[in-house]
Amino acid sequence: MTSEKKNNGKTSQGGFYAFLATLFLGAFNDNVSKLLVICFGTAMLGTSSAGASAYLSLAAACFILPYLLFSTVAGYLADRFRKKTVMVWTKVAEILIMLMGVALALKGMVYGLILVLFCMGAQSAFFSPAKYGFLPETHKPAQLPAANGATQLWTFLAIIFGGWAGGALAGFCGTERVAWGFVFCVAIAVLGTLTSFWITPTPRQTADLKFQVRDPIRPHWRTFREIARCDRILLTAFLGNTLFWFLGTIAQLVLVLLAKD
């Protein structure tokens, strides 16, 4: 009861800092593992080969595809259970995914590591609705702009440092010791799981909420049409944000090949 009163518009600084640390470590690990897989795969296939280009496209698709397939289910889980609980369990899943990465890297399974990217994309897809839904449940409306700003700041810092660390780690490990790179990712996942335990507790959700999603794509289209019909400003922001991430994803992948050449 005490924790739920605390969440009625107020959150402890420590709990929010734990939330920021958790999302930072998660986004950092996403980018480190993605670059480990991409650099290892392109090095094994030949950086300038057609196979390497196809591998890059496949890796990018497998990382993004889970957002289309699982976002509606992830949204249901974030509404059905406590958002902190969802975040903790997705961090536990991250540890298991990185352990799978260690095993596949030890066997030198280049295309098997694509499965790691798919699973990490799925883990992020399930984490995201709980992450964004956490803020309105733990902050007053007047606090939300600052909380959203901090969330975006630490997310982009994680992407920047994760991109640098992933490239540096891939260069250090080469093709012979890439499994050690995934051991590093396991350690980051464990640390992120530990910080998630200190996230501010969130209120109980609707226990009788029924799962009604049968088609994973149709809800996205329905939401888009509703935004287009009701809120043109939000639609503009939505399209601009989509274009930004589209260009950023392309640039990151193309640079892997261009920088080598």
Side-chain angles (χ1 to χ4, degrees):
M1 185 68 179
T2 303
S3 63
E4 293 196 11
K5 285 183 178 179
K6 184 190 298 183
N7 290 322
N8 190 17
K10 296 181 179 180
T11 183
S12 68
Q13 286 293 94
F16 183 58
Y17 292 153
F19 166 75
L20 292 178
T22 301
L23 70 89
F24 175 89
L25 292 168
F28 178 86
N29 224 12
D30 276 351
N31 285 272
V32 171
S33 60
K34 181 166 65 174
L35 278 172
L36 274 176
V37 172
I38 288 173
C39 291
F40 175 67
T42 53
M44 293 292 288
L45 296 172
T47 306
S48 301
S49 68
S53 299
Y55 186 84
L56 273 175
S57 301
L58 180 62
C62 286
F63 188 78
I64 298 300
L65 184 61
Y67 285 92
L68 291 175
L69 297 179
F70 305 131
S71 289
T72 50
V73 180
Y76 163 78
L77 293 177
D79 287 338
R80 173 64 178 78
F81 302 101
R82 292 179 186 267
K83 290 176 176 59
K84 176 181 177 178
T85 301
V86 174
M87 287 189 280
V88 170
W89 280 107
T90 54
K91 298 303 293 183
V92 172
E94 185 180 335
I95 298 175
L96 299 177
I97 294 167
M98 292 308 171
L99 286 172
M100 179 174 65
V102 174
L104 292 173
L106 285 173
K107 294 181 179 295
M109 300 178 66
V110 177
Y111 284 96
L113 286 172
I114 294 291
L115 178 61
V116 175
L117 286 185
F118 181 86
C119 291
M120 279 304 294
Q123 186 268 346
S124 298
F126 280 99
F127 184 86
S128 292
K131 174 182 73 174
Y132 289 112
F134 167 84
L135 297 177
E137 290 186 0
T138 56
H139 289 76
K140 294 178 179 179
Q143 298 172 325
L144 285 176
N148 274 314
T151 299
Q152 294 303 316
L153 170 65
W154 287 98
T155 297
F156 279 99
L157 284 175
I159 293 171
I160 293 168
F161 285 110
W164 165 78
L169 194 60
F172 174 76
C173 294
T175 57
E176 301 297 325
R177 297 177 295 178
V178 68
W180 285 107
F182 280 101
V183 170
F184 173 79
C185 292
V186 171
I188 296 298
V190 170
L191 183 59
T193 302
L194 292 176
T195 59
S196 72
F197 294 145
W198 278 275
I199 292 175
T200 305
T202 48
R204 293 184 181 276
Q205 301 302 300
T206 307
D208 58 350
L209 185 66
K210 302 297 183 182
F211 180 71
Q212 298 178 334
V213 178
R214 293 181 177 84
D215 180 353
I217 304 300
R218 192 175 300 172
H220 297 306
W221 176 242
R222 186 167 58 246
T223 300
F224 178 78
R225 286 191 304 172
E226 184 176 346
I227 292 173
R229 186 174 64 251
C230 301
D231 195 329
R232 291 299 177 89
I233 295 177
L234 182 58
L235 176 64
T236 304
F238 169 78
L239 293 175
N241 189 58
T242 301
L243 178 62
F244 171 79
W245 284 105
F246 174 74
L247 295 175
T249 301
I250 290 177
Q252 187 182 48
L253 295 174
V254 170
L255 280 173
V256 173
L257 296 180
L258 293 184
K260 288 281 188 180
D261 292 337

